[in-house]
Amino acid sequence: MIIQRVVLNSRPGKNGVPVAENFQLEQRTIADTVQAGQVRVKTLYLSVDPYMRCRMNEDTGSDYLRPWQLSEVADGGGIGVVEESKHDNFTKGDFVTSFTWPWQTVAILDGSLLQKLVPQLVNGRLSYFLGAAGITGLTALLGIREKGHVAAGANQTMVVSGAAGACGSLAGQIGRLEGCSRVVGIAGTDEKCSILVQEMGFDAAINYKKGDVAKRLRELCPNGVDVYFDNVGGDISDTVISQMNQNSHIILCGQISQYNKDVPYPPPLPPDIEKIQKERNITRERFLVLNYMDKQEASVLQLCQWIQEGKLKVRETVVEGLENIGAAFQSMMSGGNIGKQIVSVSK
């Protein structure tokens, strides 16, 4: 059987900016037969995520992320439909997902690595299982619950950087649902800021490319910052941390401003900001969703319930065609998207 797949064509270098040409579409032949325990799947959706930038390096800088190999197929979160199964848990027509889905049109996968999906849980929007009801939503929800120490009625203010992105746009909404009394987002365009306030229920949003971010934060968070959902790192995070309260909490989700730099993760804070963190007893701990897999099922059901009730607004940027996944990756890394970046593979 002839399929199409996307391989890593070149590395951008530790300090380089990824471009579409780092990936290459090619044809490949795969077996026509499915062995015991295997499932043949047709790919429907693939997820494009900021963490994948680390996988483009020879060394990801992480003990839980495997680097993509040159001339080998890339992989990540994916969804497909079963075409043939020799695994007891799946039958033809089942919708399934995996964290390690190859970027190709059809694949033969080990059935033990797949999870069955129930489309009704997300009102038939299968792609949501790669975003709001998938690893992205889990990252936001578990990050807030495990590291944010949000308590209903405590009059807490949350700030979210990268707030218009896949995780940030959910985190602000979840912070509100979990009990924060005020939620302020930081994003890079007026359009994104408008969407955060008018569509997603943020109290306010700051365009960091315009004006004085520190001044705007003081105006919008007059009682200081209690919870900071940090997606970006760098100067923006330094500015937020300087206005955080005693015994407040940083949810260290991502550091996208640092992903094209050869620095450790999480990047160290400047000495003056580190001093503030220590003096004010501000927690700043990295967290991995994989460490909370015992809470995955209940958390996904909670996310799905909020989606069904209309309490969690979901934004997606959908790119059609496997051949465009490199361009989608480049666009995502440039911060041009609102919400989750998805590639629709099946035509």
Side-chain angles (χ1 to χ4, degrees):
M1 177 183 297
I2 298 176
I3 61 143
Q4 289 185 314
R5 70 176 195 169
V6 172
V7 301
L8 184 65
N9 186 50
S10 59
R11 302 189 190 277
K14 286 187 176 182
N15 299 306
V17 177
V19 294
E21 290 73 24
N22 291 135
F23 300 95
Q24 180 175 305
L25 182 72
E26 65 178 28
Q27 286 191 336
R28 176 61 63 98
T29 301
I30 63 171
D32 292 321
T33 57
V34 176
Q35 303 298 321
Q38 293 183 328
V39 177
R40 187 175 76 242
V41 291
K42 180 181 180 180
T43 305
L44 300 177
Y45 299 103
L46 295 171
S47 176
V48 180
D49 301 285
Y51 83 88
M52 292 174 170
R53 172 62 184 87
C54 303
R55 302 190 66 189
M56 300 182 78
N57 296 335
E58 288 186 71
D59 180 2
T60 65
S62 170
D63 54 4
Y64 68 94
L65 284 179
R66 181 179 58 83
W68 287 330
Q69 299 301 314
L70 289 173
S71 301
E72 295 294 328
V73 66
D75 69 296
I79 290 173
V81 61
V82 174
E83 293 187 326
E84 183 181 352
S85 174
K86 289 190 178 179
H87 191 285
D88 292 342
N89 292 349
F90 306 104
T91 59
K92 184 177 180 179
D94 284 344
F95 295 105
V96 293
T97 187
S98 170
F99 293 136
T100 56
W101 197 287
W103 287 6
Q104 56 192 60
T105 50
V106 177
I108 296 176
L109 304 176
D110 183 342
S112 65
L113 302 178
L114 299 174
Q115 292 178 290
K116 191 181 297 186
L117 299 175
V118 181
Q120 292 83 355
L121 289 176
V122 288
N123 301 322
R125 296 292 298 270
L126 274 172
S127 58
Y128 282 11
F129 284 115
L130 293 178
I135 193 70
T136 309
L138 286 171
T139 300
L141 178 57
L142 290 171
I144 289 169
R145 286 184 171 176
E146 300 297 329
K147 299 296 183 182
H149 303 277
V150 173
N155 197 32
Q156 292 166 297
T157 294
M158 171 186 276
V159 171
V160 183
S161 58
C167 198
S169 61
L170 298 172
Q173 298 178 76
I174 292 171
R176 171 83 75 197
L177 290 166
E178 289 290 284
C180 286
S181 60
R182 186 164 184 78
V183 179
V184 176
I186 301 174
T189 68
D190 289 341
E191 178 193 10
K192 291 178 180 180
C193 290
S194 177
I195 288 171
L196 291 174
V197 175
Q198 296 180 16
E199 183 178 318
M200 298 184 173
F202 284 61
D203 292 284
I206 300 168
N207 182 347
Y208 71 87
K209 294 181 180 179
K210 289 185 175 181
D212 187 331
V213 174
K215 179 181 178 183
R216 291 290 289 142
L217 274 174
R218 285 191 293 271
E219 295 170 350
L220 296 172
C221 307
N223 297 319
V225 179
D226 302 293
V227 184
Y228 173 40
F229 199 97
D230 184 6
N231 283 304
V232 302
D235 293 342
I236 289 176
S237 290
D238 296 344
T239 301
V240 176
I241 294 169
S242 69
Q243 298 190 32
M244 294 187 74
N245 293 325
Q246 192 74 24
N247 301 318
S248 54
H249 305 283
I250 300 169
I251 303 168
L252 192 58
C253 178
Q255 303 281 277
I256 195 168
S257 72
Q258 309 298 304
Y259 284 168
N260 294 325
K261 301 177 182 178
D262 185 15
V263 295
Y265 184 85
L269 296 171
D272 57 330
I273 302 300
E274 185 177 17
K275 181 180 179 182
I276 290 173
Q277 181 202 351
K278 292 180 177 179
E279 289 178 347
R280 298 180 190 173
N281 193 35
I282 302 171
T283 64
R284 181 181 184 253
E285 302 170 344
R286 63 184 299 184
F287 78 98
L288 301 177
V289 171
L290 298 177
N291 290 341
Y292 302 99
M293 296 310 289
D294 59 318
K295 300 181 180 182
Q296 177 186 359
E297 184 175 355
S299 298
V300 168
L301 289 175
Q302 175 66 86
L303 293 163
C304 290
Q305 180 181 337
W306 282 335
I307 292 170
Q308 290 176 335
E309 293 172 348
K311 294 179 179 178
L312 198 60
K313 308 296 184 183
V314 182
R315 273 271 185 156
E316 291 181 320
T317 301
V318 179
V319 175
E320 299 287 339
L322 182 63
E323 68 277 10
N324 294 315
I325 200 167
F329 189 92
Q330 179 178 342
S331 176
M332 179 268 301
M333 287 302 302
S334 70
N337 307 308
I338 300 175
K340 181 69 181 180
Q341 176 81 59
I342 299 287
V343 173
S344 176
V345 176
S346 179
K347 295 182 179 179

